[in-house]
């Protein structure tokens, strides 16, 4: 597909637990373009350099990348913090990686991103994402909070 062809991405709900409070995201499908999602992908891909036997290669943390990219995409369409509340499927991560490799923004060895990709991502950051287009087409990007009641502080035994 061309860089400006439409792409639909499913956001899957995830949860963030903070003490007795659990916040959970919702399910939604976002419509965007391949190139519009690239800066989000670039800034949220969780990767590490793997040095072995004098050769450098990179390793992608799929779980972390799926959560970071999904949460960042959700953050493009709502005004609240979305960290840890959404994720994309691993198959979606692989599909995006394959596309960006085929068009020359990602490499298969060394560093995952080519110099052109780094320059493109910086330009999107400078413009403030003026070219981004994210639209909810199914579901909604929302969060719900569940508070489990534990011991009341007055009921705790001090020692």
């Amino acid at each position: 597909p061309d860089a400006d062809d439409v792409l639909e991405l499913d956001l899957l709900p995830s949860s963030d637990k903070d003490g007795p409070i659990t916040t959970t995201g919702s399910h939604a499908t976002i419509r965007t373009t391949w190139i519009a999602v690239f800066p989000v992908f670039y800034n949220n891909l969780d990767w590490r350099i793997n040095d072995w036997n004098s050769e450098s290669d990179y390793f992608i943390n799929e779980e972390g990348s799926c959560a970071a990219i999904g949460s960042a995409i959700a953050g493009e369409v709502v005004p609240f913090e979305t960290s840890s509340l959404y994720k994309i499927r691993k198959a979606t991560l692989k599909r995006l990686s394959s596309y960006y490799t085929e068009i020359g923004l990602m490499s298969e060895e060394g560093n995952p991103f080519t110099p052109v990709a780094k320059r493109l991502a910086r330009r999107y950051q400078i413009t403030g994402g003026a070219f981004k287009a994210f639209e909810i087409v199914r579901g909604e990007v929302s969060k719900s909070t569940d508070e489990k009641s534990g011991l009341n502080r007055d009921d705790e035994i001090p020692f």
Side-chain angles (χ1 to χ4, degrees), residues 1-125:
D2 289 330
D4 60 352
D5 280 356
V6 173
L7 168 70
E8 289 189 1
L9 303 170
D10 286 326
L11 297 181
L12 307 174
S14 193
S15 296
D16 183 34
K17 187 170 174 127
D18 184 16
I21 300 172
T22 301
T23 305
T24 305
S26 59
H27 182 273
T29 301
I30 304 294
R31 181 178 295 143
T32 187
T33 63
W34 290 94
I35 200 64
V37 81
F38 179 72
V40 174
F41 180 88
Y42 175 88
N43 287 316
N44 293 283
L45 187 70
D46 184 6
W47 62 276
R48 304 283 185 275
I49 293 286
N50 185 11
D51 257 342
W52 187 76
N53 210 12
S54 300
E55 292 183 23
S56 288
D57 206 1
Y58 67 88
F59 166 78
I60 294 175
N61 173 355
E62 291 181 345
E63 291 289 330
S65 294
C66 287
I69 293 168
S71 292
I73 291 169
E76 293 291 325
V77 295
V78 293
F80 58 84
E81 182 59 43
T82 57
S83 296
S84 304
L85 300 180
Y86 301 90
K87 61 185 174 184
I88 58 173
R89 290 182 174 88
K90 286 183 184 179
T92 301
L93 176 68
K94 290 178 182 179
R95 183 176 177 210
L96 291 169
S97 296
S98 295
Y99 178 79
Y100 297 135
T101 300
E102 286 300 311
I103 65 167
L105 294 176
M106 289 185 76
S107 64
E108 298 180 74
E109 300 172 347
N111 185 309
F113 296 106
T114 64
V116 171
K118 293 174 187 177
R119 193 168 42 252
L120 178 67
R122 280 193 307 267
R123 288 180 180 179
Y124 270 85
Q125 288 173 336

